[in-house]
Amino acid sequence: MKNWRILPTGLGIGFMLMILLLFLIAINFSNNLIFTLSFFLSAAFLLSVWFCVRNLSHIEVLNIRVKPVHCGEKLHYQISVKELAGSDHLYLQVMGGSQFYHLDAGEERIWQVDIETDRRGPYNARPLVISCIWPLGLFVVKRSIGSLPEVLVYPAAESILDIKEVQLGREAHSQSEAEELDGLREYQAGDNIKRIDWRAMARRQQLQVKHFDGADGDPSLWLEWQATQGMDYEQRIGCLCHWVLECQQSGREFGLRLPDIEIKPQRNGQHAQLCLSELAVMPEESRL
Amino acid sequence: MTSLKVHLETDAVREEMQSVYQQLNQLILGKHLQIKLSLTCMLANGHLLLEDLPGMGKTVLSHSLAKVLGLDYNRVQFTNDLLPADLLGASIYQAQSQSFHFIEGPIFTQFLLADEINRATPKTQSALLEAMEEQQVSLEGETRKLPTPFFVIATQNPAEQIGTAPLPESQLDRFLIRIEMGYPVKTAEMEILAGESRRELLEKIDAQINAAQLEAYQAQVKNVECSDTALTYLYELLQYSRESHHFVNGLSTRAGLALLNAAKAWAWLDGATHLLPAHIQAVFPYVSGHRLQKISGNSDPVENGKLILDNVAVPR
Amino acid sequence: MNRFFSSRAQGISLFLLLLSILPSIGLLPTLLLPVLLLLVVLHNQVRSRSGLRWITLAIVLVLAVGLIHYSAARWLSAEAIITILISVLLLKWVESDSDREYRIVTLASVLIAALSSLYLPSLPALAYLLLIGFLTLACLLLINDSERKLNVAGLAKKSVAISLMALPITIVLFITMPRVQGPLWDLGIAIGLPIELAIDQDARDIGLKGTLKAGQVSRLKKSDAPVLVAEFSGTVPYKSRMYWRGPVFSDYDGTVWSLPQNWDKRSNLLKGAYRGRDAVDETLTSKRDRVHYEARVSPHAGHWLYSLDMPSGQTPEALISKDMQLLGIRKISWEFKYDIYAWLEYTGGRRPSAKAFSAYLSFPEGTNPRLKAFGEALLIDHDNPRERIDAFYTHLASSDYKMTLTSDIEEGMYSLDRYFFDDKAGTIEHLASSTAMVLRAAGIPTRLITGYRGGSLIALTDFVIVKQEHAHVWVEAWTDDKGWQRIEAKDLVVPPERKNLSTQTVSQKQAAKPVMPKSSNSAVNAESPKPVEQKQQVKAEQSKSTNTSGWGWLKKLSSGMETWVLNYNPDRQVELLKKSGLRKVDWKNLLGISVIGLLSLACVYALFLQVRQSKIDPVSRAFQRLNKRFDKLQLACGDHECPSEWLVRVKAAEPELYPVLRQIIECYCAIRFEGQDSSENRERFVKDVKRLVAMI
């Protein structure tokens, strides 16, 4: 039972006081009926623990998923739970939040639990605590039912500066297959006229442009720690984070240079996540 | 009570396919499972990915499959200079008729062996995969149907990494079943070494069935019935892949459908009219393995599948 | 349009509140109730404007206070307190708008309901309180059900479930929880609060005096002002064996017993007093059951310390007089404390002087001739004084005498005659005086002793509180062989266990009592014997109903309830537990039993906690059974193994079992995987499994 905590609520303490007063009234008037009432309510008081415990029992956490977010956003835990005993479980609270979760008999369900974040970096695994005061609200019973997995919180993006384009010549990754003909596609206003395939036009009577692989990508960039000089430590991280996101959105190839780490330019989603992770685990300023 | 029949009595397959099965086994020694899985794949109308080192009989298997099943056969050796047009075909100006004429590429066949697919550029790979998925080719604004039945057996050499583009994970699930040939067992290998060249033997074999029959069997496969209990089991398998912490991503619903089809084909091949958990278990590692990526580093795809099987109870 | 209640919680808490004030609604000043109800009806309007809200509430509260002030009720009377409580609570409800406040209102309602229930007769009160208890649970439940997951039926079901599960615990607590007899004031006195505080000013001069007339003691019986508090070292004697000795009379003029003039002069007090530690003991001819106690006597006008009969030993500032009573050397005008020994059974004492002897034998001239004749007849019939006393006892026991609190017998020279031979019903003074006179006529010296008999034991402690209501009169007679001995006529007239329950006495007692409690203090005291009274009413009603209709079961139920619920008191608790084999019953033992009872219930409930409601289907169960059997052969079907594969395995390992198992598995697969889930197949499967399991 070390995973369980049972505490009376404020109402529970009030209820106890009320029972005490009833008891005194009963003694004073030597009235067995009031004794009965006070014992009945005491019994209900004790039983409410039982009901709470049952409400929290026979629930199994199947798995917990969470995606990294940026600091200041909420962590969205997806907790899939299963009811095992064939009875309903009502008014459960997860991690002390104010939202209620319910679970019907035999049901399998995914609870969405949002938890605030206030700093970047790894959030360690912690016990997943569910609690309830249902049905009478006299006790709050808490049960640790599993553990929330460790999750990385990326720094909050701060758009302080526009991206400083750092071209380092040779080191910038060249688009290897930019010259390769990828195919033809219909002409759209704004396409480079030089790329129109005139022969295809002669054949099909319609404008088509040659499409080269990688041809419309911008040159790759270095996002550098040095470029953010003059800002606070955390601001610099936030700024770099913003740049990474911007590059990812515009599909540009970029690399990241931090004081001790260099990540070579690439362009896929995983690359951006790697860069964000590195920013997230940057040591705190005080530890430098 | 027909579900149990063939499965229990012999290692054989149902009567209609018996000759096909035997013929293949004579040609490719000691590879019953691979042969049965390949047939399952054909019957479920899916594509096969063969992954192994060169010289393990990949080509022989695919070629003999095509021959025994009586299908048109084309083989394309994928190289890094193979362009999509080389595979799909192109329009060529014919001087006599003063018009463009479409020359079909090698893909316009019933049975395509895409040898060493990892050597081709991603563009060519995706051209093939698209055609596999859609069973048609879109070229220069026109859509051309591929013949039916249409199978692709792609081979990939896992050891050869330099200068190759292995199929990305997202593309792997276009293949219904992935198998490895593996080294033959001792007796089989001795026999191979002692006997005639497989290529020569290949010349001798005849088609045992034809395309029309194959299509009829495919229709029968679809009629294999699946009870709720079996579906529950299938669902539990998928669910475990999603909920256990072993894999980066769980199996998709498409993977589930693929599993169902493959299991049905296996059941049909076994002579069963209904799906048993055993049928699902038989195909599961080969259907699911290449669709799963373990979180903790690389692992054998078949082991991935077995891990799930070992952790999910059969509904009673 | 706004709905009347903004939430279900608001509705049900009002319902509970109104229900809780219903029994005591008659106490409210007539004008106040409509005003409060109007406010409740208009609660939405009042609440909507915050300025109006507070002003209205303040006005109503002032109104309530004013109305109480101008009504006849006194401040601190029960009416005033309940009125204020109800007004405040209703106003609180009007003002509340959060679940928390409704919870508070709910809890307070329960207290009001408990107080209100005192105005109901016992059976309805029980039903009422149980309803209140049930509604309290429903109310808390409903307030917590903020997302309306339960409908009315669901709420009722849940409340009933909690109530039913609470019943065993309630019963255990009811039976074993250490009971303390009220009122609380007694407890306070036992703990050491000054006794004076418990005595009403107007009751101060009540008490035993230097004279005794018929009806005087009976009047005392109506007061529950405490006389003394005794703490015994060791066991407390039975109530019927405790005689607290007060004024001792020998002079009787036919109507009034009186003490001699100047009896309380210091010299008179000291004359003939027993001096020394063992002075009394030396004169006793027989003595039994010595107890020690410490007493605190409430102040009164006399010297009497009301020591327990027979005092023995010494205590400062007090003396044992020649009448063997413990007297304060000074008048007891402040709380007096002493500790002393006492012999519960005794005979003996110093032989009185001849002059005193004649006083103990004097029969006032010209009074009660029949009584005198009766006594003289005893003298003629029996030589031995002992036999004369026994003959008198026989007469008392065989004649049908009754005890009353008031008497219609006129005071006069023949009043004892009239009592003893004609009415045979009278007060304790009549009985005791008659006894004394008859024995005097029979030649046996007697004296009349006033004092108290019994006391209220504060349950599970060694404290006894003696109150005016315990006032008693008895007789001491002198025989040469034994000395003084107690003559208790009352026990022969009224058997001890029934003595307080005679219908007549009780109904008169009730009539004499104010219907409504006067002040909070007296409310406390006046209500205490209520269950007893109500029991009488119930009994009366019962006897009626049994005559008219066949409601036998109801009678049984209510008499059972009467015994085990209404009249379950500390004595009965101790008795019950002693019967069930507990040697010593004190509060520690009781508490221990309570805890053990609760813990064992907790274990039972913990087992319930494990119960899962899932139903296992017979096919699965049969399969599990089969599997268990094969497990012994090390051939169990694994959790993740398809039965068909298992069959293949069994075939290899146990070929002789294969054909039967194959049939079973085929049937199983047909049910599970081939859509042939017919009852026929199921039965066949279960049957086959049974057969195979039996076979192996």
Side-chain angles (χ1 to χ4, degrees), chain A residues 62-65 80 82 108 149 177 180-182 203-204 213, chain B residues 83 91 100 121 123 140 235 239 241-245 248 250:
Chain A
L62 298 174
N63 76 328
I64 303 171
R65 284 174 177 275
S80 67
K82 191 175 177 187
E108 225 178 285
E177 289 177 318
E180 194 178 322
L181 181 61
D182 188 43
R203 236 173 17 232
R204 296 227 172 77
D213 190 5
Chain B
L83 290 176
S91 298
F100 284 90
T121 57
K123 207 187 328 288
E140 295 167 16
Y235 170 78
Q239 202 58 20
S241 76
R242 294 163 188 166
E243 290 179 348
S244 69
H245 293 291
V248 175

Side-chain angles (χ1 to χ4, degrees), chain B residues 303-316:
Chain B
E303 290 306 316
N304 287 346
K306 287 190 174 157
L307 175 79
I308 296 178
L309 283 182
D310 285 347
N311 280 295
V312 177
V314 178
R316 296 284 183 227

Side-chain angles (χ1 to χ4, degrees), chain A residues 11 14-15 18 21-25 27-37 39-44 46-47 50-51 53-54 57-58 84-87 90-91 99-100 102 104 133-138, chain C residues 103 107 110-111 114 118 122 125-126 129 133 137 140-141 144-150 162-163 165-166 169-170 173-174 177 179-184 523-524 527-528 531 565-568 605 608-609 612-613:
Chain A
L11 179 69
F15 199 82
M18 184 201 72
L21 277 175
L22 270 185
F23 199 67
L24 290 179
I25 292 176
I27 289 177
N28 198 17
F29 293 88
S30 290
N31 189 316
N32 273 328
L33 303 178
I34 302 178
F35 269 124
T36 311
L37 179 66
F39 290 147
F40 176 77
L41 292 177
S42 318
L46 296 175
L47 260 183
W50 186 90
F51 275 94
V53 168
R54 200 184 66 153
S57 305
H58 304 313
L84 302 173
S87 53
L90 299 176
Y91 293 97
Q99 201 194 333
F100 291 118
H102 313 281
D104 293 339
I133 58 167
W134 180 257
L136 294 181
L138 303 177
Chain C
R103 288 191 184 109
L107 296 191
V110 177
L111 291 176
L118 295 171
S122 67
L126 182 65
L129 286 178
L137 301 185
L140 291 179
L141 207 61
N144 278 335
D145 187 17
S146 53
E147 293 180 5
R148 288 179 179 247
K149 296 295 284 185
L150 295 180
I162 300 175
S163 307
M165 290 191 63
I169 303 181
T170 311
L173 285 175
F174 188 84
M177 196 67 186
R179 286 300 179 81
V180 185
Q181 188 83 21
L184 285 177
V524 163
E527 292 296 329
S528 56
V565 179
L566 300 182
N567 291 338
Y568 189 80
Y605 284 137
F608 267 119
L609 213 51
R612 300 180 176 198
Q613 292 171 357

Side-chain angles (χ1 to χ4, degrees), chain C residues 72 144 164 203 262 332 367 400 481 486 529 617 676 683:
Chain C
N144 278 335
L164 286 183
N262 297 328
I332 312 299
T367 62
D400 193 15
D481 53 343
R486 190 187 299 136
D617 124 291
Q676 297 172 34
E683 278 165 30

Side-chain angles (χ1 to χ4, degrees), chain B residues 113-149:
Chain B
L113 173 63
D115 221 355
E116 300 192 78
I117 191 173
N118 54 335
R119 284 172 169 271
T121 57
K123 207 187 328 288
T124 315
Q125 283 174 0
S126 45
L128 173 66
L129 294 169
E130 200 185 320
M132 279 162 56
E133 187 66 22
E134 318 260 318
Q135 303 262 344
Q136 63 186 23
V137 173
S138 299
L139 218 64
E140 295 167 16
E142 275 181 62
T143 302
R144 292 187 169 78
K145 280 266 171 213
L146 291 171
T148 52

